[in-house]
């Protein structure tokens, strides 16, 4: 089962990667591309003796329709491939759990597998409710590919038993809520980033990466999506990090809080995300400023996942355990 999980992991990454390419093709050639915008420009007339009135954009639209259709079809193919990758991703996690005979999130590698699985499910859920944001699929798939690539390249750990400190029911309760909230925040960082890019484009910035904003959904749509995802994830993260975590620490180590590096960075992440929600609810704070705070929160989450696990020693040093 362990070898099957590894094989499914490789196929999963390939499926997400091909889906990303399809999303990218739609992003370049779909309805929001230069071709799509050209079809919406006002018609121009050819003036001359006996010359007929010619609707050039309409003619161009007819001539370029197959190309636009191909762009849309590639976007739909990206969605289908994301569903396929999601199914393979489930198989990867399930077979890993069967091979280990436990819940499959006992080390950094398995944690990333589980977080990206939640992220994939969240993206597909968003896409089902808001099909108009499909252009974000390029960046959502990119985030999943990068995270899974990092898991395979720098965090892979052979299947093994849990370290004694993790052998508790709190292992399921604490880690599962952190996984759920982290997966939502992972995908939430995508519309947050694109909101800042689209806002810059709307203000007239035409250098990279603001040029990507031309084909992104409306800034208001991106900002609302960012807020809703963070508002949903924050209570989960609060429970996992500041309630279930300390209770498990007291049961395992006889103290609720010990300023272990992972505890410190989890607390930092919680503070930053709380500041984002407070800033978002404050009318005097610009939405762009609040969104920058949300991205800072995601950066602290990455630091907690990669930096603390790989470079710090502490009671939570499980990067290569299990």
């Amino acid at each position: 089962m362990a070898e099957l999980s590894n094989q499914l992991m490789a196929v999963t990454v390939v499926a997400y990667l091909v889906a990303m390419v399809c999303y990218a093709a739609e992003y370049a050639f779909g309805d929001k591309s230069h071709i799509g915008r050209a079809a919406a420009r006002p018609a121009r007339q050819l003036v001359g003796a006996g010359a007929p009135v010619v609707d050039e954009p309409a003619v161009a639209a007819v001539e370029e329709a197959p190309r636009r259709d191909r762009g849309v079809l590639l976007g739909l193919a990206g969605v289908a491939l994301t569903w396929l990758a999601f199914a393979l991703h489930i198989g990867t996690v399930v077979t890993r759990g069967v091979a280990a005979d436990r819940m499959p999130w006992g080390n950094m590698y398995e944690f990333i597998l589980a977080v990206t699985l939640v992220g994939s499910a969240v993206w597909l859920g968003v896409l089902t409710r808001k099909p108009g944001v499909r252009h974000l699929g390029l960046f959502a798939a990119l985030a999943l590919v990068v995270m899974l690539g990092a898991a395979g390249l720098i965090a892979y750990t052979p299947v093994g038993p849990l370290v004694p400190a993790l052998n508790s029911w709190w292992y399921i309760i604490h880690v599962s809520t952190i996984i759920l909230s982290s997966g939502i925040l992972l995908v939430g960082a995508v519309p947050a980033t694109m909101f800042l890019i689209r806002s810059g484009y709307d203000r007239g910035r035409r250098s990279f990466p603001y040029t990507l904003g031309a084909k992104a959904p409306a800034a208001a749509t991106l900002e609302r999506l960012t807020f809703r995802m963070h508002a949903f994830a924050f209570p989960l993260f609060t429970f996992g990090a500041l309630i279930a975590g300390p209770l498990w620490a007291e049961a395992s180590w006889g103290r609720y809080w010990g300023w272990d590096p992972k505890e410190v960075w989890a607390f930092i992440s919680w503070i930053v995300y709380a500041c984002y929600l407070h800033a978002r609810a404050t009318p005097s704070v610009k939405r762009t400023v609040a969104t920058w705070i949300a991205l800072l929160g995601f950066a602290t989450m990455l630091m907690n996942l990669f930096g603390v696990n790989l470079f710090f020693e502490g009671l939570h040093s499980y990067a290569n355990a299990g």
Side-chain angles (χ1 to χ4, degrees):
M1 278 294 181
E3 184 59 30
L4 177 59
S5 178
N6 293 341
Q7 293 171 354
L8 286 172
M9 162 68 163
V11 178
T12 298
V13 174
V14 171
Y16 281 127
L17 185 60
V18 177
M20 184 181 73
V21 172
C22 291
Y23 285 127
E26 183 187 29
Y27 202 82
F29 304 114
D31 288 338
K32 290 191 177 183
S33 68
H34 172 74
I35 296 168
R37 294 195 305 275
R41 287 200 298 261
R44 291 186 299 173
Q45 296 181 353
L46 296 178
V47 180
V53 176
V54 179
D55 189 347
E56 290 180 345
V59 173
V62 172
E63 292 175 349
E64 299 290 356
R67 187 181 300 180
R68 292 203 306 277
D69 291 342
R70 285 196 296 270
V72 173
L73 289 175
L74 284 168
L76 295 175
V79 175
L81 284 166
T82 305
W83 279 104
L84 173 61
F86 177 64
L88 293 168
H89 204 155
I90 292 175
T92 302
V93 174
V94 169
T95 52
R96 177 82 179 191
V98 171
D101 194 25
R102 55 173 172 77
M103 299 303 291
W105 49 66
N107 51 61
M108 182 179 174
Y109 172 74
E110 294 172 355
F111 182 84
I112 296 175
L113 284 183
V115 167
T116 49
L117 177 62
V118 172
S120 180
V122 169
W123 163 243
L124 289 171
V126 169
L127 195 58
T128 300
R129 291 180 59 85
K130 293 182 175 293
V133 301
R134 192 171 67 222
H135 280 69
L136 295 181
L138 165 61
F139 308 100
L142 175 61
L144 295 174
V145 169
V146 170
M147 291 291 290
L148 287 172
L153 292 175
I154 66 176
Y156 177 75
T157 305
V159 173
L162 288 175
V163 296
L166 294 181
N167 194 14
S168 165
W169 280 106
W170 284 110
Y171 160 69
I172 298 175
I173 298 171
H174 167 67
V175 182
S176 63
T177 53
I178 294 296
I179 286 171
L180 285 172
S181 59
S182 298
I184 298 169
L185 293 171
L186 169 65
V187 179
V190 173
T193 303
M194 293 309 298
F195 165 69
L196 294 173
I197 291 174
R198 179 59 193 255
S199 296
Y201 181 83
D202 290 343
R203 291 195 300 269
R205 298 184 180 182
R206 294 297 182 266
S207 59
F208 184 83
Y210 297 105
T211 50
L212 296 173
K215 302 171 187 178
T221 299
L222 294 168
E223 199 281 330
R224 283 195 303 270
L225 182 58
T226 298
F227 170 70
R228 289 172 181 174
M229 296 179 75
H230 283 76
F232 183 78
F234 185 73
L236 291 173
F237 185 70
T238 300
F239 172 78
L242 300 185
I243 299 176
L247 289 174
W248 187 15
E250 197 280 332
S252 298
W253 302 315
R255 54 45 164 200
Y256 290 99
W257 195 268
W259 299 104
D260 184 77
K262 208 162 190 68
E263 294 172 344
V264 171
W265 278 97
F267 186 55
I268 291 172
S269 297
W270 184 86
I271 290 175
V272 175
Y273 279 121
C275 289
Y276 160 69
L277 294 176
H278 177 71
R280 175 56 168 71
T282 304
S284 61
V285 179
K286 293 182 179 179
R287 296 293 167 85
T288 52
V289 173
T291 305
W292 275 114
I293 297 174
L295 290 180
L296 176 61
F298 184 65
T300 65
M301 295 284 284
L302 292 177
M303 175 62 193
N304 201 0
L305 176 59
F306 291 101
V308 173
N309 280 337
L310 297 176
F311 303 113
F312 288 84
E313 291 293 333
L315 293 172
H316 291 82
S317 299
Y318 305 135
N320 298 311

